[in-house]
Structure formats: C-alpha cells, structure tokens
Amino acid sequence: MTVGIAVGLAAGLWLSVWLSVAVIVPLFEEATCSGIEFRAGAVNPSSEPGSRPPIGGTGGLAGKLRAALRREGAAVYCHDFADPFVLRVGSTYYVFATNNLDDRIPVLTSSGLFGTAHTGEALPKLPAWSSPGGVWAPAVLPRPGGYVLYYTTRARHPDRECLSRAFSKEPGGPFVDDSSGPLVCPTNGGAIDPSPLVAADGSAYLLWKSDTTGGIVAQPLAPDGLTLVGDAQPILQADQLWEAGVVEAPSMVGYEGRYYLFYSGNNWSTSSYAIGYAVCESPMGPCTKPAAGPWLASTGKAEGPGGEDVFVDAQGQLWMTLHAWVRGRVGYPQGARNLFVVRLTFVDGVPTVG
C-alpha cells in the first residue's frame, strides 16, 4: 500500500512523490489498528482516562515510528496528534502536539531508536492569566540548564490567542509556566504557532503567526529563551491564491548557508490545507517564495497536510514531521490529524520528501 503526497517544485512543475509505506503505515490496515479509536482534539481537556494505542516495545506503532527514523520511509501515529514538534536529545525523541482528550500538551517519548515509548503530559498546569481549554502548537528550545516550551493559549482579559512559555530541567517535562502574563499577545489581534530557531551563529529566534501583520514574524530571543529582545519583523505574508489569506505554522531550518521557511496555508480543517516554503537570507528575512503553488499538498490518501516541523536525527539526517487527515475523513469530529514522519532532502537547493 502507498500514500501519495503531491510536491510542487520551484520551476512550477508538479511531481507526485509516492511514499512506499506498505510495511510501516498501519493506519490503513484494519487488523493493525483494530481497537484504536480516532479522536478529535478536545475543547476542554478531559479528566477521564482515554484509551491509548499500543505504542510500547520494539513493535507496535512506536516501532514503526522508530523504523521511519531509521530511514525506512514514512510513519503514522494512528491517533490524533496535531501540530507535531520533535525534540531530539541524544538518542531520545520527544514529540509534542496540540491538546487532545487526555492532555494539554501530549508528549510521545521514544527512548532511542530501539527502546520503548510512552505518552505523557508535558504541561500539567496553565498560568493564572490563561483560560482553560485549547492549548496548541507547542515547540521546545534547549537552553543552558534546561528547556523552554513555547505554546499557544487564550488569555482571559481580553479574550484572545497569545503565546506563552514554560521551563523544565527535563526535555519531556513537566514544564512550569510561572509567567504573570503572555510572552506575545498583540492588542489588535492574536498570536499563534510559536517556533524557535537557533541560527548558525548560535543566536536564537522565535517565529510565529501574527494576526496583527496577517503573516509570519520573527524576533530575537534572550539567551535564556524566556524573553524576547529587539523588535518583531514580518518575514512572510499570504500573497498566493492557494493560501487563501492564511500563512501559519512556521518551521525554519538552515541548510548550506540558506534558511528555508516551511509554513502551512489555507483552512486547517479542509483538504485545501497544504505546506509551502520560502527561502530567506536570514532568520529575520527577507524571504522569497520560489514556487507559485503549495510544496506539499493533498492526495486521495492523505489530505490537508500541515503543522510541519523539521528536525535532525542522531545521524544528521533531516526529517519533517506533519499531520494529515486520512481515509477521506477530513475535519472533526469524523477525522483525526494523524502523525507522519517523512525524510527531507534538497536537490539543487529545492527541498523534497521521499
């Protein structure tokens, strides 16, 4: 069985890249996924324990995830795991995601490529200024003495989407948010989808989607990662038809002297959602879009890819994690945003998956 994801090249040509995942994508195998219920993200975290898929040991879904990290192809976590972010510490992988029925910020931990795996709660408590409910698009930045978790939540007064940060000495948490107010919360809009970047010179930046500018902005971080310094700089706007006025979920990576900014565009709950990319001179821009269409788009098997994040495995190979709807079940409550991991390479400066 194969899963197809359409890839647009800078020259404007379209190439359908088919990822051969007959062995390592259990989602379409009813026997493999028997007993696993697709679940939508909760508006309010549930206090009731939920059923969990079999992810322990060298087999099961965790084994298939590790198989993908061993360069054997794509992987699917057969469960709702939206806006994934991967943090690698040594040989251990921590995958954070938007809230689900069980956790504010669920984290999937794989103890080495051949170890065991489990899920847990990364953020047990929200700060007092935040409203309970949706917590989404987490990302983690290693800093001296620990790790900083960035995430989106809602402020109480006034009610709008804001960014916050939490700290933990351990990569998988629990993270503690001791803030008295948001890290970013524009008065004339909202802010979502924080994404940290460490540049080639070691300086750190935070990127996010700003409702104030209607696009993606970047701003330098203080050395401890807990505060921002300087000014926020708009680096990407929605100016292509396929984006439908939306660019969000930034993930920037440096490669051979250039910075590549991957982003999601269009309506996240539809099959029109897709991934684009831009090439930037620096983390603060300017950025240009080489293609006139999306870089990673829907096919009949995997629809609405987005929420992407680029990470590096223990061997130095680049990977991209993302979510997508499958089996024609697009949108909640009938569908779930399942976790994919695909290998990322560059051919003549153009990113590609496979």
Side-chain angles (χ1 to χ4, degrees):
M1 188 172 294
T2 58
V3 173
I5 300 179
V7 179
L9 299 181
L13 299 177
W14 289 94
L15 173 66
S16 181
V17 176
W18 292 90
L19 307 175
S20 180
V21 289
V23 176
I24 60 178
V25 177
L27 191 58
F28 306 106
E29 303 287 340
E30 292 296 334
T32 305
C33 280
S34 176
I36 297 175
E37 180 182 358
F38 295 148
R39 299 181 303 172
V43 175
N44 293 296
S46 172
S47 59
E48 306 244 347
S51 60
R52 300 182 187 275
I55 59 171
T58 57
L61 298 177
K64 294 171 175 60
L65 176 61
R66 287 191 296 276
L69 296 176
R70 293 198 301 271
R71 311 183 185 207
E72 294 175 17
V76 167
Y77 177 49
C78 196
H79 201 62
D80 195 69
F81 213 75
D83 305 313
F85 177 89
V86 175
L87 170 69
R88 181 181 63 82
V89 179
S91 59
T92 300
Y93 297 85
Y94 302 87
V95 191
F96 301 83
T98 283
N99 67 276
N100 58 23
L101 289 176
D102 299 327
D103 303 306
R104 293 179 182 86
I105 296 182
V107 54
L108 172 66
T109 304
S110 176
S111 300
L113 297 183
F114 301 98
T116 58
H118 65 276
T119 56
E121 168 66 87
L123 186 68
K125 184 179 180 181
L126 291 171
W129 59 263
S130 170
S131 299
V135 178
W136 65 99
V140 179
L141 175 67
R143 294 288 84 186
Y147 302 83
V148 181
L149 168 72
Y150 305 97
Y151 65 97
T152 309
T153 184
R154 297 197 72 93
R156 292 178 182 271
H157 306 293
D159 180 16
R160 61 177 181 264
E161 297 164 339
C162 306
L163 306 184
S164 192
R165 88 293 182 275
F167 184 82
S168 174
K169 291 185 177 179
E170 300 298 328
F175 288 85
V176 176
D177 189 335
D178 60 0
S179 63
S180 58
L183 176 66
V184 177
C185 200
T187 57
N188 55 346
I192 64 172
D193 299 346
S195 178
L197 166 75
V198 177
D201 62 1
S203 55
Y205 298 83
L206 189 68
L207 286 66
W208 68 91
K209 187 269 181 97
S210 170
D211 288 341
T212 302
T213 67
I216 294 170
V217 301
Q219 188 170 351
L221 282 162
D224 63 5
L226 297 175
T227 58
L228 291 159
V229 296
D231 297 321
Q233 174 68 40
I235 60 173
L236 198 76
Q237 297 294 125
D239 55 11
Q240 296 187 351
L241 185 62
W242 74 269
E243 296 162 346
V246 177
V247 290
E248 59 189 16
S251 179
M252 184 178 283
V253 61
Y255 183 78
E256 293 187 346
R258 309 170 81 184
Y259 289 92
Y260 291 80
L261 172 60
F262 297 92
Y263 65 94
S264 301
N266 212 296
N267 186 335
W268 66 269
S269 63
T270 71
S271 60
S272 297
Y273 205 52
I275 299 173
Y277 84 97
V279 182
C280 307
E281 293 184 14
S282 77
M284 299 287 286
C287 302
T288 58
K289 301 174 184 177
W295 173 73
L296 212 63
S298 295
T299 66
K301 297 289 187 178
E303 298 179 72
E308 66 289 337
D309 173 59
V310 179
F311 67 98
V312 182
D313 69 13
Q315 290 74 44
Q317 168 67 51
L318 285 171
W319 295 85
M320 177 179 284
T321 181
L322 57 106
H323 66 243
W325 312 96
V326 297
R327 284 167 48 174
R329 298 172 182 175
V330 179
Y332 295 129
Q334 70 272 13
R337 290 182 285 177
N338 298 259
L339 172 66
F340 284 73
V341 179
V342 294
R343 197 159 113 186
L344 178 65
T345 59
F346 290 83
V347 179
D348 296 329
V350 177
T352 186
V353 297

